[in-house]
Amino acid sequence: MSSERLQADFFARMADPQAVREIFEHLPGVFFFVKDAHGRHIAANSVTFARFGIQTERELIGAMDEKFFPEEWAKAFRADDQKVIRSGKPLINRLELWYNEQRTLDWFLTTKLPVHDKRGKVIGVMGITRRDEERMRQHDVREVTAAVQHARQHCDRNLTIGELARAAGVSERHLHRQLRATLGLTPHELLLRTRIQSAAEALVKTSAPISEIAIAHGFCDQSAFTQQFRKRTGMTPRQFRVRNRG
């Protein structure tokens, strides 16, 4: 019997075709999801429920991303979904700013794969989301690791790309190439996202005025902070504070 036939026969004998989902209940820090071609959630593991603030899968099935995320985030997620559906090609390790278990912003890597029906038509996407630290620890991205760590350590000011490159021990051009290849980000976007992430945590964990948080994270004033924050989270800093404290 050929290996392909052996594999096909084994899966055909399984009593429950969804049994493979159970493994995702035992992978710490991994969020699993399945959505159809219309963007409706079909399945997920229990840690995904917790992140969405729901108790059971029943509350998830049929819901769109807008139920759980700000509108701009939902649009971005759907754009990626549709890219996978139209092309039939996977999206690997996309860096995204998502809610963690404490409902504050953190960085995660998302991989999405097309889901095919029996005739080969793409009918949806399935994927996993996990924290980015695992990738950051890999030996072949040590320069990116150094850049990310330096950005996080100095998120109280607007670092220059030159400073970031020197901290990583590479040229600006090389850093730009490495960040694009590894995270899909420019150095400027990395610095901006890092400051916004830290500022978002301050909005939730402290009672400091928004104007002070803006200055403390390298923004020239509250207006500039609000503009950049809303562009990447879909809400103003004040709306984010109210929603997450609630």
Side-chain angles (χ1 to χ4, degrees):
M1 180 182 293
S2 68
S3 57
E4 292 82 2
R5 180 63 182 276
L6 175 64
Q7 184 184 70
D9 285 351
F10 178 84
F11 284 119
R13 290 169 55 201
M14 290 178 63
D16 181 6
Q18 298 190 43
V20 293
R21 291 175 51 192
E22 182 65 22
I23 191 64
F24 293 103
E25 295 295 333
H26 305 283
L27 296 177
V30 174
F31 301 93
F32 168 72
F33 59 88
V34 179
K35 290 183 277 187
D36 69 10
H38 300 289
R40 296 173 296 196
H41 285 269
I42 301 299
N45 60 349
S46 57
V47 292
T48 302
F49 307 159
R51 186 177 63 183
F52 287 170
I54 59 179
Q55 300 297 317
T56 67
E57 193 171 60
R58 184 184 297 273
E59 301 172 75
L60 175 85
I61 298 174
M64 307 290 282
D65 282 324
E66 282 83 355
K67 180 176 180 179
F68 310 111
F69 297 101
E71 182 179 358
E72 291 303 312
W73 288 10
K75 287 181 179 179
F77 298 155
R78 187 166 300 113
D80 283 346
D81 293 346
Q82 289 302 314
K83 183 177 180 181
V84 171
I85 291 170
R86 287 194 301 268
S87 69
K89 297 179 180 179
L91 183 68
I92 307 296
N93 288 337
R94 170 65 65 84
L95 185 69
E96 296 177 336
L97 199 58
W98 278 35
Y99 288 126
N100 61 20
E101 297 88 332
Q102 289 73 44
R103 299 291 292 173
T104 57
L105 289 177
D106 204 348
W107 283 4
F108 291 84
L109 290 172
T110 295
T111 291
K112 296 180 179 180
L113 305 175
V115 176
H116 299 85
D117 65 12
K118 293 181 179 180
R119 296 182 178 180
K121 179 182 178 181
V122 179
I123 58 174
V125 297
M126 63 178 175
I128 58 171
T129 297
R130 57 187 174 84
R131 296 187 186 280
D132 73 307
E133 279 82 356
E134 178 181 340
R135 186 176 178 86
M136 292 298 95
R137 287 195 298 265
Q138 293 179 11
H139 178 71
D140 61 347
V141 292
R142 58 190 182 277
E143 292 148 352
V144 173
T145 302
V148 170
Q149 290 176 343
H150 191 75
R152 288 177 171 173
Q153 291 168 358
H154 299 280
C155 58
D156 58 337
R157 62 189 181 91
N158 192 1
L159 288 172
T160 67
I161 297 175
E163 289 178 279
L164 194 65
R166 286 192 292 274
V170 296
S171 68
E172 292 183 32
R173 184 175 181 179
H174 182 80
L175 179 63
H176 187 282
R177 190 164 53 245
Q178 286 290 86
L179 287 174
R180 292 291 292 181
T182 307
L183 301 179
L185 296 175
T186 64
H188 174 74
E189 185 66 17
L190 169 66
L191 291 168
L192 193 53
R193 287 196 189 193
T194 302
R195 288 156 55 209
I196 288 175
Q197 176 188 354
S198 179
E201 294 174 358
L203 287 168
V204 176
K205 296 178 180 179
T206 75
S207 299
I210 295 175
S211 58
E212 289 185 9
I213 292 175
I215 299 300
H217 288 85
F219 295 93
C220 60
D221 55 34
Q222 183 174 337
S223 177
F225 172 53
T226 297
Q227 180 182 15
Q228 296 295 341
F229 191 93
R230 180 163 47 194
K231 182 178 179 180
R232 286 161 180 80
T233 68
M235 65 186 82
T236 66
R238 190 177 305 280
Q239 290 169 335
F240 180 86
R241 170 175 270 177
V242 171
R243 174 178 294 192
N244 285 278
R245 283 188 168 179

